Amino acid sequence: MAGETTKTEAVCLDIRPWSRTSHIVRWMTPDGPVTTVVKGAVRPKSAFLGQYDLNYTCEIVYYSRAKGELHALRECSPLSTRDSLRSSYRALVLAEYMRSQTAALAPHGEESAAWFRVLADALDALAEGAAHSPRDLVAALLGFELVVLDLSGLSPGIEAESGAFSLRGERQMPISNDVARCINDPGREKNMQILVDAARAIGVFYAFHLDSAPEARRTVLRMISNNEEGTGTQNGKD
């Protein structure tokens, strides 16, 4: 409520300049996305220097203004910095995608706690093995998106068992038995091509049901599915 001071855990989703010395920081909290202004954030003697960055989980204290407005950040202490993510460009790309999806789709209210936990757990898993193989990263992408779909009230895994996805209207997208098996348990899949095929199928499902940006997602998939940092897939295809 406006006029109250709130203390909570929060994952740093996005940081933007607000002035020469201040930031606007968007957070994912157990109560939903929150946007704060951090006045004097980059001044040499600021108490906020080094206390937050992208992918950090922090304990924050902010003063709530009217709903929909910027709230004033009063205190911030890092709880998990996930520094190891910086050792892998692909892991950072996937972390950025996970944060952007959470920021775009997470609701406010009681349901937000599950979204907060899913994002924090996904970032923790990436940080624990930041030098993941492309197979691990594509599996992590699939696992995250399937949980997001479930939180959004969709269940592609059940439909996959019938060998097809039902899209909006009466459209059907057929999938192979291998892809259906992978979608129902991506963490166990060892075949990289099946994982990529499953990720492409989920991408179509996403675009139809959640109005996501398919071009951005295809770029993420290309980058994380290659064996070389920062380049496209081995065969040059999406």
Side-chain angles (χ1 to χ4, degrees):
M1 295 179 62
E4 292 186 352
T5 298
T6 302
K7 181 177 182 180
T8 184
E9 288 187 29
V11 174
C12 183
L13 297 174
D14 181 58
I15 302 171
R16 291 178 286 129
W18 190 56
S19 67
R20 289 188 300 173
T21 60
S22 301
H23 284 160
I24 291 176
V25 183
R26 194 173 191 196
W27 309 87
M28 182 62 198
T29 78
D31 294 317
V34 169
T35 304
T36 63
V37 59
V38 190
K39 293 184 178 180
V42 298
R43 288 174 179 164
K45 295 183 179 180
S46 172
F48 293 109
L49 284 177
Q51 299 304 295
Y52 63 88
D53 204 347
L54 299 177
N55 303 313
Y56 280 27
T57 292
C58 301
E59 182 178 79
I60 64 172
V61 177
Y62 65 93
Y63 181 76
S64 302
R65 293 173 178 164
K67 185 177 181 180
E69 295 184 359
L70 292 175
H71 308 300
L73 191 68
R74 295 294 178 83
E75 299 177 21
C76 179
S77 301
L79 300 176
S80 175
T81 60
R82 302 184 178 95
D83 291 337
S84 60
L85 282 175
R86 298 191 180 107
S87 67
S88 170
Y89 183 71
R90 289 194 303 265
L92 284 175
V93 167
L94 183 52
E96 165 67 23
Y97 176 75
M98 291 173 171
R99 297 195 320 271
S100 67
Q101 288 296 289
T102 303
L105 299 172
H108 290 272
E110 294 181 0
E111 295 179 358
S112 296
W115 289 78
F116 168 79
R117 193 71 267 152
V118 165
L119 176 61
D121 288 348
L123 293 176
D124 284 343
L126 278 181
E128 289 170 4
H132 284 305
S133 68
R135 192 213 71 84
D136 291 334
L137 290 170
V138 176
L141 168 67
L142 264 174
F144 174 78
E145 290 187 324
L146 288 168
V147 174
V148 166
L149 287 169
D150 185 57
L151 290 174
S152 301
L154 302 166
S155 185
I158 294 175
E159 295 187 50
E161 294 177 0
S162 66
F165 282 150
S166 295
L167 304 177
R168 284 177 178 168
E170 298 180 356
R171 298 186 62 175
Q172 291 274 322
M173 183 179 70
I175 57 175
S176 69
N177 290 334
D178 287 337
V179 167
R181 183 190 69 244
C182 178
I183 288 171
N184 282 305
D185 193 0
R188 295 176 64 87
E189 182 58 60
K190 303 299 182 184
N191 187 300
M192 182 63 172
Q193 187 58 55
I194 293 173
L195 275 166
V196 172
D197 289 345
R200 289 170 179 161
I202 289 297
V204 174
F205 193 85
Y206 243 70
F208 270 80
H209 289 275
L210 294 179
D211 296 319
S212 62
E215 297 82 4
R217 186 187 181 277
R218 282 196 291 267
T219 299
V220 170
L221 181 58
R222 281 199 302 269
M223 297 181 76
I224 67 174
S225 62
N226 187 15
N227 281 319
E228 297 182 6
E229 290 276 347
T231 58
T233 53
Q234 292 177 351
N235 60 11
K237 297 180 181 179
D238 289 350

